[in-house]
Amino acid sequence: ETNGVYEKKTNQELNDYSDLVTLTNTFTNSTNSAFPSAISALIDVEQWIRYFAVETILSNHDGCIATNVGEDYFIYHRPSDLKWVILPWDQNETFRDPEDDLFRMSVDAVERLVTHPAFEPIYYDQLIELLDGPFQTTVMDRQIDSVRFAFAALELDQVEGFVPAAETTLRG
């Protein structure tokens, strides 16, 4: 079942989009002062912000929700706490431009989330944690070397060069 924009993969027989309407309405119509508590009641804020931090570090250019309407993600309404989580999909156009801006988000709702004063520090913390952890040049070089048998050298050399250049841009 679809509403023209979102296609339900679960609970299709209910044909009820009220939870999604509430989510999108909160992203776009909450006052700035009410936004942090309103959106925190609906989404796993740290998980969403980490998702956008990863998208930034990876320089994803393939339908990323942060930079256009985005067809390459899923959102899931987690039954355990009734919060929405965002899940990546189709990450094949990553490691594109190591000079991508730290805040290249062009979708208002996404920009609002990561730049709101209540959440921007979380975004910075996530970027630093990722850059100091799984996206460190030494860690990434080991990962790249571990898959050299399966990918063209030119592609992996491009990724290997991207990592330190992007780190310089993001830490700059």
Side-chain angles (χ1 to χ4, degrees), residues 32-43:
N32 215 32
S33 60
F35 181 69
S37 62
I39 204 66
S40 293
L42 296 175
I43 70 170

Side-chain angles (χ1 to χ4, degrees), residues 80-137:
S80 62
D81 61 2
L82 300 178
K83 291 198 178 191
W84 292 92
V85 293
I86 188 166
L87 307 167
W89 177 257
D90 191 16
Q91 301 287 294
N92 66 315
E93 291 184 33
T94 54
F95 304 108
R96 296 295 180 188
D97 184 355
E99 295 182 5
D100 273 345
D101 189 42
L102 189 62
F103 291 97
R104 69 182 185 108
M105 295 81 179
S106 58
V107 174
D108 291 342
V110 174
E111 183 179 11
R112 183 180 198 193
L113 178 66
V114 299
T115 63
H116 192 283
F119 302 129
E120 190 172 13
I122 299 169
Y123 180 64
Y124 284 122
D125 288 346
Q126 291 290 341
L127 287 167
I128 295 299
E129 183 180 315
L130 291 163
L131 289 170
D132 289 346
F135 290 102
Q136 287 181 55
T137 301

Side-chain angles (χ1 to χ4, degrees), residues 16-36:
D16 179 6
Y17 288 85
S18 60
D19 54 353
L20 191 56
V21 169
T22 299
L23 176 66
T24 57
N25 186 50
T26 301
F27 263 112
T28 57
N29 296 321
S30 297
T31 64
N32 215 32
S33 60
F35 181 69

